[in-house]
mmCIF file of all heavy atoms in Angstrom:
data_model
loop_
_atom_site.group_PDB
_atom_site.id
_atom_site.type_symbol
_atom_site.label_atom_id
_atom_site.label_comp_id
_atom_site.label_asym_id
_atom_site.label_seq_id
_atom_site.Cartn_x
_atom_site.Cartn_y
_atom_site.Cartn_z
ATOM 1 N N MET A 227 144.517 87.121 -16.121
ATOM 2 C CA MET A 227 143.454 86.391 -15.429
ATOM 3 C C MET A 227 142.082 86.639 -16.047
ATOM 4 O O MET A 227 141.145 85.888 -15.803
ATOM 5 C CB MET A 227 143.390 86.809 -13.949
ATOM 6 C CG MET A 227 144.658 86.550 -13.143
ATOM 7 S SD MET A 227 145.065 84.796 -13.021
ATOM 8 C CE MET A 227 146.525 84.735 -14.073
ATOM 9 N N ARG A 228 141.946 87.665 -16.846
ATOM 10 C CA ARG A 228 140.639 88.048 -17.377
ATOM 11 C C ARG A 228 140.014 86.917 -18.189
ATOM 12 O O ARG A 228 140.675 86.284 -19.010
ATOM 13 C CB ARG A 228 140.761 89.306 -18.246
ATOM 14 C CG ARG A 228 139.430 89.907 -18.653
ATOM 15 C CD ARG A 228 139.633 91.250 -19.357
ATOM 16 N NE ARG A 228 140.220 92.242 -18.463
ATOM 17 C CZ ARG A 228 139.522 92.966 -17.604
ATOM 18 N NH1 ARG A 228 138.210 92.783 -17.492
ATOM 19 N NH2 ARG A 228 140.132 93.853 -16.839
ATOM 20 N N GLY A 229 138.737 86.659 -17.952
ATOM 21 C CA GLY A 229 137.993 85.666 -18.722
ATOM 22 C C GLY A 229 138.158 84.231 -18.257
ATOM 23 O O GLY A 229 137.532 83.325 -18.800
ATOM 24 N N ARG A 230 138.989 83.997 -17.239
ATOM 25 C CA ARG A 230 139.247 82.626 -16.781
ATOM 26 C C ARG A 230 138.381 82.269 -15.587
ATOM 27 O O ARG A 230 137.883 83.141 -14.870
ATOM 28 C CB ARG A 230 140.716 82.469 -16.400
ATOM 29 C CG ARG A 230 141.680 82.746 -17.521
ATOM 30 C CD ARG A 230 143.118 82.640 -17.050
ATOM 31 N NE ARG A 230 143.456 81.316 -16.572
ATOM 32 C CZ ARG A 230 144.631 80.984 -16.056
ATOM 33 N NH1 ARG A 230 145.577 81.905 -15.959
ATOM 34 N NH2 ARG A 230 144.866 79.763 -15.645
ATOM 35 N N THR A 231 138.190 80.959 -15.363
ATOM 36 C CA THR A 231 137.606 80.450 -14.129
ATOM 37 C C THR A 231 138.669 79.610 -13.452
ATOM 38 O O THR A 231 139.163 78.648 -14.038
ATOM 39 C CB THR A 231 136.356 79.590 -14.409
ATOM 40 O OG1 THR A 231 135.383 80.388 -15.080
ATOM 41 C CG2 THR A 231 135.768 79.064 -13.104
ATOM 42 N N LEU A 232 139.053 79.962 -12.227
ATOM 43 C CA LEU A 232 140.172 79.317 -11.544
ATOM 44 C C LEU A 232 139.621 78.325 -10.523
ATOM 45 O O LEU A 232 139.206 78.701 -9.433
ATOM 46 C CB LEU A 232 141.046 80.377 -10.872
ATOM 47 C CG LEU A 232 141.523 81.515 -11.795
ATOM 48 C CD1 LEU A 232 142.329 82.541 -11.022
ATOM 49 C CD2 LEU A 232 142.318 80.957 -12.967
ATOM 50 N N SER A 233 139.596 77.046 -10.912
ATOM 51 C CA SER A 233 139.069 75.983 -10.064
ATOM 52 C C SER A 233 140.185 75.039 -9.644
ATOM 53 O O SER A 233 141.219 74.931 -10.322
ATOM 54 C CB SER A 233 137.989 75.189 -10.813
ATOM 55 O OG SER A 233 136.918 76.022 -11.203
ATOM 56 N N ASN A 234 139.977 74.343 -8.498
ATOM 57 C CA ASN A 234 140.970 73.383 -7.982
ATOM 58 C C ASN A 234 142.360 74.012 -7.905
ATOM 59 O O ASN A 234 143.360 73.402 -8.274
ATOM 60 C CB ASN A 234 141.014 72.122 -8.865
ATOM 61 C CG ASN A 234 139.693 71.395 -8.882
ATOM 62 O OD1 ASN A 234 139.146 71.080 -7.838
ATOM 63 N ND2 ASN A 234 139.172 71.145 -10.075
ATOM 64 N N ALA A 235 142.390 75.245 -7.426
ATOM 65 C CA ALA A 235 143.641 76.003 -7.444
ATOM 66 C C ALA A 235 143.785 76.825 -6.173
ATOM 67 O O ALA A 235 142.804 77.221 -5.537
ATOM 68 C CB ALA A 235 143.684 76.926 -8.659
ATOM 69 N N PHE A 236 145.046 77.054 -5.815
ATOM 70 C CA PHE A 236 145.395 77.987 -4.734
ATOM 71 C C PHE A 236 145.945 79.224 -5.438
ATOM 72 O O PHE A 236 146.962 79.161 -6.116
ATOM 73 C CB PHE A 236 146.450 77.378 -3.819
ATOM 74 C CG PHE A 236 146.517 77.997 -2.450
ATOM 75 C CD1 PHE A 236 146.276 77.238 -1.317
ATOM 76 C CD2 PHE A 236 146.829 79.335 -2.288
ATOM 77 C CE1 PHE A 236 146.331 77.791 -0.037
ATOM 78 C CE2 PHE A 236 146.890 79.912 -1.029
ATOM 79 C CZ PHE A 236 146.637 79.140 0.105
ATOM 80 N N VAL A 237 145.242 80.346 -5.299
ATOM 81 C CA VAL A 237 145.545 81.540 -6.088
ATOM 82 C C VAL A 237 145.977 82.670 -5.152
ATOM 83 O O VAL A 237 145.287 82.970 -4.170
ATOM 84 C CB VAL A 237 144.313 81.979 -6.911
ATOM 85 C CG1 VAL A 237 144.689 83.113 -7.862
ATOM 86 C CG2 VAL A 237 143.738 80.795 -7.682
ATOM 87 N N ILE A 238 147.111 83.278 -5.457
ATOM 88 C CA ILE A 238 147.634 84.383 -4.640
ATOM 89 C C ILE A 238 147.806 85.606 -5.533
ATOM 90 O O ILE A 238 148.456 85.532 -6.577
ATOM 91 C CB ILE A 238 148.978 84.015 -3.994
ATOM 92 C CG1 ILE A 238 148.801 82.811 -3.055
ATOM 93 C CG2 ILE A 238 149.549 85.209 -3.228
ATOM 94 C CD1 ILE A 238 150.117 82.232 -2.564
ATOM 95 N N LEU A 239 147.210 86.706 -5.116
ATOM 96 C CA LEU A 239 147.431 87.991 -5.786
ATOM 97 C C LEU A 239 148.288 88.843 -4.855
ATOM 98 O O LEU A 239 147.865 89.200 -3.759
ATOM 99 C CB LEU A 239 146.106 88.690 -6.082
ATOM 100 C CG LEU A 239 146.233 90.104 -6.685
ATOM 101 C CD1 LEU A 239 146.947 90.054 -8.037
ATOM 102 C CD2 LEU A 239 144.863 90.751 -6.830
ATOM 103 N N ASP A 240 149.486 89.170 -5.314
ATOM 104 C CA ASP A 240 150.434 89.943 -4.514
ATOM 105 C C ASP A 240 150.399 91.414 -4.954
ATOM 106 O O ASP A 240 150.011 91.724 -6.085
ATOM 107 C CB ASP A 240 151.835 89.355 -4.706
ATOM 108 C CG ASP A 240 152.850 89.921 -3.735
ATOM 109 O OD1 ASP A 240 152.467 90.222 -2.592
ATOM 110 O OD2 ASP A 240 154.027 90.039 -4.118
ATOM 111 N N GLU A 241 150.816 92.315 -4.062
ATOM 112 C CA GLU A 241 150.853 93.753 -4.356
ATOM 113 C C GLU A 241 149.486 94.264 -4.803
ATOM 114 O O GLU A 241 149.378 95.101 -5.721
ATOM 115 C CB GLU A 241 151.914 94.056 -5.429
ATOM 116 C CG GLU A 241 153.328 93.711 -5.031
ATOM 117 C CD GLU A 241 153.909 94.656 -3.985
ATOM 118 O OE1 GLU A 241 153.394 95.771 -3.841
ATOM 119 O OE2 GLU A 241 154.886 94.278 -3.321
ATOM 120 N N ALA A 242 148.432 93.787 -4.160
ATOM 121 C CA ALA A 242 147.067 94.105 -4.600
ATOM 122 C C ALA A 242 146.702 95.568 -4.379
ATOM 123 O O ALA A 242 145.699 96.044 -4.910
ATOM 124 C CB ALA A 242 146.066 93.205 -3.877
ATOM 125 N N GLN A 243 147.511 96.299 -3.583
ATOM 126 C CA GLN A 243 147.232 97.723 -3.397
ATOM 127 C C GLN A 243 147.330 98.483 -4.713
ATOM 128 O O GLN A 243 146.789 99.583 -4.849
ATOM 129 C CB GLN A 243 148.174 98.338 -2.357
ATOM 130 C CG GLN A 243 149.603 98.588 -2.828
ATOM 131 C CD GLN A 243 150.500 97.361 -2.679
ATOM 132 O OE1 GLN A 243 150.019 96.290 -2.328
ATOM 133 N NE2 GLN A 243 151.787 97.534 -2.928
ATOM 134 N N ASN A 244 148.007 97.891 -5.706
ATOM 135 C CA ASN A 244 148.182 98.546 -6.996
ATOM 136 C C ASN A 244 147.179 98.078 -8.049
ATOM 137 O O ASN A 244 147.384 98.298 -9.244
ATOM 138 C CB ASN A 244 149.611 98.330 -7.505
ATOM 139 C CG ASN A 244 150.619 99.122 -6.696
ATOM 140 O OD1 ASN A 244 150.326 100.216 -6.218
ATOM 141 N ND2 ASN A 244 151.808 98.571 -6.511
ATOM 142 N N THR A 245 146.113 97.437 -7.603
ATOM 143 C CA THR A 245 145.009 97.120 -8.523
ATOM 144 C C THR A 245 143.978 98.242 -8.449
ATOM 145 O O THR A 245 143.793 98.865 -7.408
ATOM 146 C CB THR A 245 144.317 95.805 -8.141
ATOM 147 O OG1 THR A 245 143.758 95.925 -6.816
ATOM 148 C CG2 THR A 245 145.285 94.641 -8.170
ATOM 149 N N THR A 246 143.307 98.467 -9.555
ATOM 150 C CA THR A 246 142.171 99.391 -9.535
ATOM 151 C C THR A 246 140.954 98.642 -8.998
ATOM 152 O O THR A 246 140.969 97.413 -8.851
ATOM 153 C CB THR A 246 141.862 99.918 -10.943
ATOM 154 O OG1 THR A 246 141.434 98.825 -11.760
ATOM 155 C CG2 THR A 246 143.087 100.582 -11.564
ATOM 156 N N ILE A 247 139.883 99.374 -8.727
ATOM 157 C CA ILE A 247 138.661 98.757 -8.217
ATOM 158 C C ILE A 247 138.137 97.711 -9.195
ATOM 159 O O ILE A 247 137.785 96.593 -8.808
ATOM 160 C CB ILE A 247 137.593 99.838 -7.934
ATOM 161 C CG1 ILE A 247 138.050 100.707 -6.757
ATOM 162 C CG2 ILE A 247 136.228 99.200 -7.647
ATOM 163 C CD1 ILE A 247 137.184 101.928 -6.525
ATOM 164 N N ASN A 248 138.115 98.047 -10.487
ATOM 165 C CA ASN A 248 137.595 97.102 -11.481
ATOM 166 C C ASN A 248 138.517 95.905 -11.685
ATOM 167 O O ASN A 248 138.049 94.786 -11.906
ATOM 168 C CB ASN A 248 137.361 97.812 -12.822
ATOM 169 C CG ASN A 248 136.149 98.725 -12.790
ATOM 170 O OD1 ASN A 248 135.228 98.498 -12.003
ATOM 171 N ND2 ASN A 248 136.140 99.749 -13.639
ATOM 172 N N GLN A 249 139.837 96.132 -11.604
ATOM 173 C CA GLN A 249 140.777 95.013 -11.746
ATOM 174 C C GLN A 249 140.592 93.996 -10.633
ATOM 175 O O GLN A 249 140.572 92.785 -10.883
ATOM 176 C CB GLN A 249 142.219 95.537 -11.726
ATOM 177 C CG GLN A 249 142.685 96.140 -13.030
ATOM 178 C CD GLN A 249 144.089 96.701 -12.905
ATOM 179 O OE1 GLN A 249 144.499 97.163 -11.829
ATOM 180 N NE2 GLN A 249 144.844 96.674 -13.989
ATOM 181 N N LEU A 250 140.472 94.466 -9.392
ATOM 182 C CA LEU A 250 140.342 93.524 -8.282
ATOM 183 C C LEU A 250 138.983 92.823 -8.324
ATOM 184 O O LEU A 250 138.884 91.645 -7.997
ATOM 185 C CB LEU A 250 140.547 94.235 -6.946
ATOM 186 C CG LEU A 250 140.705 93.303 -5.738
ATOM 187 C CD1 LEU A 250 141.759 92.231 -5.995
ATOM 188 C CD2 LEU A 250 141.080 94.090 -4.485
ATOM 189 N N LYS A 251 137.949 93.544 -8.736
ATOM 190 C CA LYS A 251 136.642 92.891 -8.907
ATOM 191 C C LYS A 251 136.759 91.770 -9.945
ATOM 192 O O LYS A 251 136.251 90.663 -9.741
ATOM 193 C CB LYS A 251 135.594 93.914 -9.351
ATOM 194 C CG LYS A 251 134.227 93.279 -9.624
ATOM 195 C CD LYS A 251 133.265 94.273 -10.253
ATOM 196 C CE LYS A 251 131.967 93.579 -10.663
ATOM 197 N NZ LYS A 251 131.052 94.487 -11.385
ATOM 198 N N MET A 252 137.429 92.067 -11.068
ATOM 199 C CA MET A 252 137.636 91.041 -12.093
ATOM 200 C C MET A 252 138.344 89.827 -11.530
ATOM 201 O O MET A 252 137.945 88.686 -11.752
ATOM 202 C CB MET A 252 138.446 91.640 -13.258
ATOM 203 C CG MET A 252 138.816 90.656 -14.367
ATOM 204 S SD MET A 252 140.333 89.676 -14.067
ATOM 205 C CE MET A 252 141.587 90.934 -14.162
ATOM 206 N N PHE A 253 139.409 90.075 -10.744
ATOM 207 C CA PHE A 253 140.185 88.964 -10.189
ATOM 208 C C PHE A 253 139.351 88.132 -9.220
ATOM 209 O O PHE A 253 139.340 86.905 -9.293
ATOM 210 C CB PHE A 253 141.427 89.503 -9.486
ATOM 211 C CG PHE A 253 142.243 88.447 -8.802
ATOM 212 C CD1 PHE A 253 143.095 87.632 -9.525
ATOM 213 C CD2 PHE A 253 142.148 88.247 -7.426
ATOM 214 C CE1 PHE A 253 143.841 86.644 -8.907
ATOM 215 C CE2 PHE A 253 142.886 87.275 -6.795
ATOM 216 C CZ PHE A 253 143.730 86.463 -7.539
ATOM 217 N N LEU A 254 138.654 88.782 -8.312
ATOM 218 C CA LEU A 254 137.877 88.062 -7.295
ATOM 219 C C LEU A 254 136.772 87.219 -7.917
ATOM 220 O O LEU A 254 136.435 86.149 -7.396
ATOM 221 C CB LEU A 254 137.280 89.052 -6.296
ATOM 222 C CG LEU A 254 138.292 89.783 -5.404
ATOM 223 C CD1 LEU A 254 137.603 90.869 -4.597
ATOM 224 C CD2 LEU A 254 139.003 88.813 -4.477
ATOM 225 N N THR A 255 136.225 87.665 -9.024
ATOM 226 C CA THR A 255 135.141 86.911 -9.662
ATOM 227 C C THR A 255 135.661 85.785 -10.559
ATOM 228 O O THR A 255 134.870 85.135 -11.248
ATOM 229 C CB THR A 255 134.234 87.859 -10.474
ATOM 230 O OG1 THR A 255 135.019 88.629 -11.393
ATOM 231 C CG2 THR A 255 133.477 88.790 -9.542
ATOM 232 N N ARG A 256 136.990 85.544 -10.536
ATOM 233 C CA ARG A 256 137.550 84.368 -11.247
ATOM 234 C C ARG A 256 137.412 83.102 -10.403
ATOM 235 O O ARG A 256 137.682 82.009 -10.882
ATOM 236 C CB ARG A 256 139.044 84.554 -11.548
ATOM 237 C CG ARG A 256 139.473 85.758 -12.384
ATOM 238 C CD ARG A 256 138.752 85.841 -13.686
ATOM 239 N NE ARG A 256 137.592 86.699 -13.569
ATOM 240 C CZ ARG A 256 136.534 86.672 -14.378
ATOM 241 N NH1 ARG A 256 136.478 85.791 -15.346
ATOM 242 N NH2 ARG A 256 135.524 87.490 -14.209
ATOM 243 N N MET A 257 137.035 83.234 -9.132
ATOM 244 C CA MET A 257 137.049 82.095 -8.205
ATOM 245 C C MET A 257 136.098 80.994 -8.651
ATOM 246 O O MET A 257 134.899 81.209 -8.837
ATOM 247 C CB MET A 257 136.687 82.555 -6.791
ATOM 248 C CG MET A 257 136.726 81.445 -5.753
ATOM 249 S SD MET A 257 136.325 82.019 -4.073
ATOM 250 C CE MET A 257 137.877 82.760 -3.602
ATOM 251 N N GLY A 258 136.654 79.771 -8.834
ATOM 252 C CA GLY A 258 135.853 78.620 -9.222
ATOM 253 C C GLY A 258 135.701 77.644 -8.061
ATOM 254 O O GLY A 258 135.975 77.969 -6.900
ATOM 255 N N LEU A 259 135.293 76.420 -8.380
ATOM 256 C CA LEU A 259 135.085 75.403 -7.362
ATOM 257 C C LEU A 259 136.408 74.938 -6.780
ATOM 258 O O LEU A 259 137.421 74.858 -7.480
ATOM 259 C CB LEU A 259 134.331 74.214 -7.964
ATOM 260 C CG LEU A 259 132.920 74.514 -8.514
ATOM 261 C CD1 LEU A 259 132.349 73.280 -9.196
ATOM 262 C CD2 LEU A 259 131.999 74.988 -7.396
ATOM 263 N N ASN A 260 136.412 74.632 -5.479
ATOM 264 C CA ASN A 260 137.600 74.160 -4.761
ATOM 265 C C ASN A 260 138.791 75.082 -4.993
ATOM 266 O O ASN A 260 139.896 74.645 -5.314
ATOM 267 C CB ASN A 260 137.966 72.723 -5.168
ATOM 268 C CG ASN A 260 139.049 72.142 -4.277
ATOM 269 O OD1 ASN A 260 139.074 72.387 -3.075
ATOM 270 N ND2 ASN A 260 139.963 71.389 -4.859
ATOM 271 N N ALA A 261 138.545 76.379 -4.836
ATOM 272 C CA ALA A 261 139.609 77.363 -5.001
ATOM 273 C C ALA A 261 139.794 78.129 -3.693
ATOM 274 O O ALA A 261 138.841 78.348 -2.943
ATOM 275 C CB ALA A 261 139.273 78.336 -6.132
ATOM 276 N N LYS A 262 141.033 78.496 -3.424
ATOM 277 C CA LYS A 262 141.356 79.330 -2.268
ATOM 278 C C LYS A 262 142.149 80.534 -2.756
ATOM 279 O O LYS A 262 143.130 80.380 -3.489
ATOM 280 C CB LYS A 262 142.165 78.542 -1.233
ATOM 281 C CG LYS A 262 142.280 79.270 0.109
ATOM 282 C CD LYS A 262 142.969 78.406 1.145
ATOM 283 C CE LYS A 262 142.142 77.214 1.542
ATOM 284 N NZ LYS A 262 140.971 77.577 2.365
ATOM 285 N N PHE A 263 141.702 81.730 -2.365
ATOM 286 C CA PHE A 263 142.341 82.969 -2.802
ATOM 287 C C PHE A 263 142.950 83.678 -1.585
ATOM 288 O O PHE A 263 142.296 83.817 -0.557
ATOM 289 C CB PHE A 263 141.320 83.922 -3.432
ATOM 290 C CG PHE A 263 141.005 83.642 -4.881
ATOM 291 C CD1 PHE A 263 140.922 82.353 -5.370
ATOM 292 C CD2 PHE A 263 140.771 84.691 -5.753
ATOM 293 C CE1 PHE A 263 140.623 82.106 -6.698
ATOM 294 C CE2 PHE A 263 140.465 84.468 -7.083
ATOM 295 C CZ PHE A 263 140.389 83.167 -7.566
ATOM 296 N N ILE A 264 144.208 84.115 -1.712
ATOM 297 C CA ILE A 264 144.816 85.004 -0.725
ATOM 298 C C ILE A 264 145.282 86.258 -1.449
ATOM 299 O O ILE A 264 146.010 86.186 -2.441
ATOM 300 C CB ILE A 264 145.994 84.340 0.013
ATOM 301 C CG1 ILE A 264 145.505 83.140 0.840
ATOM 302 C CG2 ILE A 264 146.676 85.360 0.930
ATOM 303 C CD1 ILE A 264 146.595 82.473 1.664
ATOM 304 N N ILE A 265 144.829 87.413 -0.960
ATOM 305 C CA ILE A 265 145.178 88.707 -1.545
ATOM 306 C C ILE A 265 146.126 89.405 -0.573
ATOM 307 O O ILE A 265 145.788 89.607 0.596
ATOM 308 C CB ILE A 265 143.924 89.594 -1.728
ATOM 309 C CG1 ILE A 265 142.729 88.786 -2.257
ATOM 310 C CG2 ILE A 265 144.241 90.795 -2.591
ATOM 311 C CD1 ILE A 265 142.915 88.221 -3.617
ATOM 312 N N THR A 266 147.318 89.756 -1.020
ATOM 313 C CA THR A 266 148.275 90.436 -0.140
ATOM 314 C C THR A 266 148.550 91.843 -0.652
ATOM 315 O O THR A 266 148.474 92.110 -1.855
ATOM 316 C CB THR A 266 149.610 89.664 -0.040
ATOM 317 O OG1 THR A 266 150.313 89.766 -1.278
ATOM 318 C CG2 THR A 266 149.374 88.200 0.288
ATOM 319 N N GLY A 267 148.865 92.736 0.283
ATOM 320 C CA GLY A 267 149.177 94.097 -0.138
ATOM 321 C C GLY A 267 149.568 94.985 1.030
ATOM 322 O O GLY A 267 149.398 94.631 2.197
ATOM 323 N N ASP A 268 150.103 96.136 0.695
ATOM 324 C CA ASP A 268 150.533 97.135 1.682
ATOM 325 C C ASP A 268 149.926 98.468 1.259
ATOM 326 O O ASP A 268 150.363 99.077 0.272
ATOM 327 C CB ASP A 268 152.059 97.214 1.697
ATOM 328 C CG ASP A 268 152.601 98.282 2.646
ATOM 329 O OD1 ASP A 268 151.788 98.942 3.316
ATOM 330 O OD2 ASP A 268 153.828 98.452 2.704
ATOM 331 N N VAL A 269 148.923 98.930 1.987
ATOM 332 C CA VAL A 269 148.188 100.137 1.579
ATOM 333 C C VAL A 269 149.006 101.416 1.763
ATOM 334 O O VAL A 269 148.570 102.486 1.362
ATOM 335 C CB VAL A 269 146.841 100.247 2.337
ATOM 336 C CG1 VAL A 269 145.913 99.105 1.953
ATOM 337 C CG2 VAL A 269 147.060 100.294 3.841
ATOM 338 N N THR A 270 150.199 101.301 2.359
ATOM 339 C CA THR A 270 151.069 102.479 2.465
ATOM 340 C C THR A 270 151.998 102.604 1.257
ATOM 341 O O THR A 270 152.779 103.553 1.178
ATOM 342 C CB THR A 270 151.928 102.431 3.746
ATOM 343 O OG1 THR A 270 152.890 101.376 3.639
ATOM 344 C CG2 THR A 270 151.056 102.228 4.976
ATOM 345 N N GLN A 271 151.944 101.646 0.347
ATOM 346 C CA GLN A 271 152.832 101.680 -0.826
ATOM 347 C C GLN A 271 152.026 101.566 -2.113
ATOM 348 O O GLN A 271 152.260 100.676 -2.938
ATOM 349 C CB GLN A 271 153.871 100.565 -0.751
ATOM 350 C CG GLN A 271 154.827 100.700 0.430
ATOM 351 C CD GLN A 271 156.059 99.820 0.276
ATOM 352 O OE1 GLN A 271 156.721 99.816 -0.749
ATOM 353 N NE2 GLN A 271 156.373 99.068 1.308
#
Side-chain angles (χ1 to χ4, degrees):
M227 300 297 109
R228 189 173 296 277
R230 300 177 62 183
T231 300
L232 307 177
S233 300
N234 298 307
F236 201 119
V237 187
I238 298 170
L239 175 62
D240 190 34
E241 298 288 340
Q243 75 274 6
N244 289 327
T245 61
T246 65
I247 292 171
N248 287 334
Q249 281 177 329
L250 191 51
K251 177 188 173 185
M252 176 275 292
F253 176 79
L254 293 172
T255 54
R256 302 306 94 202
M257 182 179 281
L259 298 175
N260 189 37
K262 192 174 292 288
F263 278 37
I264 296 183
I265 318 296
T266 71
D268 177 2
V269 295
T270 69
Q271 296 196 50

